[in-house]
Structures are given as structure tokens and as C-alpha cells.
Amino acid sequence: MTLVDRANVILDAWNRQRERAAQGEDEVSQVWWQRLGYAGPQVRAMELYDAGRATSWQVNPLVYFIPRAVWPNKPTMPALGRYFNWEVMGSDHMSTRVGITIYANGYWMMGWPGVILFSAIFGAMMALVTRINLAVLANRNFIYLPAVFAGTQWSAMSQMGFLETSTVGGFSVYVWLVVVTRIGLIMGRAILNPIPASPARQS
């Protein structure tokens, strides 16, 4: 969710509250606040782990790095937000996917060691993305800008979801954008600037 989306959520909630006040109705529940703050879902994730209902990896993380064109029967990305909503509320609505941040995700899976581990994994990925993006900008390789923009969005938003889907899944998209762009550059240079044949071959 971008800053513009969050602003729209606030404005929409404000307008609804004014309409209810004009009609003499009180808003009992402020569900819209869940779209702005994650304290509630984080507490529930910690309570689930403390109650012995820890979660686990849904699929092998390496699956996210294999394109579906190579593996047509690749498992679909699990809807962890929907699964979390089912664990907490007992409901299974397709449109309700609650984010808990990767830190709460780590606690839900492994307790406090999970928070440290997930933070380290995200930090390592962030360092790699930052290093590549800075090198691209320093060398003015603007053909990599789509990857730079994708990496920037991933850096800002992936920590709000789950490590398995938002962080690892989004990181795999960034990696493939860099790899495909690099392969395209190599092929383009080979076509535009073919290597001349050696004198021995010409004779």
C-alpha cells in the first residue's frame, strides 16, 4: 500500500465518520485502522506462537526464483494474509488479507530468534539491492531503471507483509529483472557490434 493509498483510507474513513455523525450513528468499530497500523495483528501473531500455534514455511523459498515458464506446474504463492485472518478470526474471506510485518512473522514462526533471523535476512537482501541500485545510478546504466524502481518499492513495502511472500517473492522479481536486463544488454551488444572474424578464418 502506497502513501497515496493510505491517505485515501484516512479520507474515506473520515468521510464515513462524518456521515454517521450527521445521521446520529456512532461508529462502533474502526476496522480501517488495521490498514494503517500493524500493532494489533502483531500482538495476535505473538499470542498464536505463545499458545503453541506456530506457523511454518508454506513452500520452499527457492521456488520463488524459478520462473513459471520453466516450471509450468510451479506451486502458486500462498495467501499468508488470508491464512493469518483465518487463524485469528476463524473466517476465510478471499478479500481479507491481514499484514503483520516480517518481524511478527518471524516471531509467529520461531519466537524471538525468528525476529532476529528474519531481520538479518531482510537486512542482507536490502544491502544487496542497495549496492546494485547505487552502482547502477553511479554508472548511469539507466536501462536498469525498471529494476531500480522495483527494488526501491520492494525495500519500502516488503517488510509490511510476510517474509516468504512479500520479501523473498518480491526479491526474486528484482533479481530476475536485473538478470534479464543484463542478458538483453549482452545480446544487444553482440548484435549491434559483432566480433569481426580473425584473419585466419577469412583466408
Side-chain angles (χ1 to χ4, degrees):
M1 177 178 287
T2 63
L3 293 177
V4 175
D5 293 334
R6 291 171 183 263
N8 289 333
V9 170
I10 296 176
L11 291 176
D12 181 63
W14 174 258
N15 292 331
R16 289 185 180 181
Q17 187 173 5
R18 292 181 59 185
E19 292 176 359
R20 289 176 178 270
Q23 297 174 1
E25 299 179 1
D26 294 329
E27 187 174 5
V28 178
S29 176
Q30 296 181 346
V31 181
W32 56 272
W33 182 250
Q34 295 180 1
R35 304 297 297 175
L36 302 174
Y38 297 89
Q42 287 174 336
V43 170
R44 294 298 296 152
M46 296 175 70
E47 290 176 347
L48 286 173
Y49 177 82
D50 294 340
R53 298 167 59 186
T55 186
S56 60
W57 289 96
Q58 302 299 311
V59 296
N60 190 320
L62 297 178
V63 169
Y64 295 103
F65 293 90
I66 304 176
R68 192 167 295 277
V70 178
W71 186 5
N73 296 326
K74 172 182 174 180
T76 57
M77 183 178 295
L80 297 181
R82 177 184 167 195
Y83 170 71
F84 176 77
N85 184 66
W86 178 81
E87 284 285 345
V88 174
M89 305 296 295
S91 59
D92 188 19
H93 297 295
M94 290 292 294
S95 60
T96 305
R97 300 183 180 185
V98 181
I100 62 176
T101 74
I102 60 174
Y103 315 106
N105 184 198
Y107 191 98
W108 186 20
M109 186 177 294
M110 303 171 58
W112 287 114
V115 177
I116 298 174
L117 177 61
F118 281 28
S119 300
I121 293 174
F122 178 69
M125 291 181 175
M126 178 79 78
L128 179 60
V129 171
T130 302
R131 186 179 182 87
I132 294 175
N133 285 357
L134 289 177
V136 167
L137 297 177
N139 296 324
R140 296 181 179 273
N141 292 328
F142 296 128
I143 194 171
Y144 287 95
L145 278 182
V148 171
F149 291 147
T152 302
Q153 182 182 22
W154 170 86
S155 301
M157 303 302 300
S158 63
Q159 58 185 313
M160 304 301 178
F162 294 81
L163 182 75
E164 180 176 347
T165 52
S166 299
T167 305
V168 178
F171 181 74
S172 67
V173 174
Y174 172 79
V175 169
W176 273 110
L177 278 174
V178 173
V179 170
V180 170
T181 303
R182 180 61 178 171
I183 294 175
L185 275 176
I186 295 174
M187 295 179 62
R189 289 170 180 171
I191 294 174
L192 297 177
N193 300 310
I195 301 176
S198 62
R201 292 182 179 179
Q202 291 179 352
S203 61

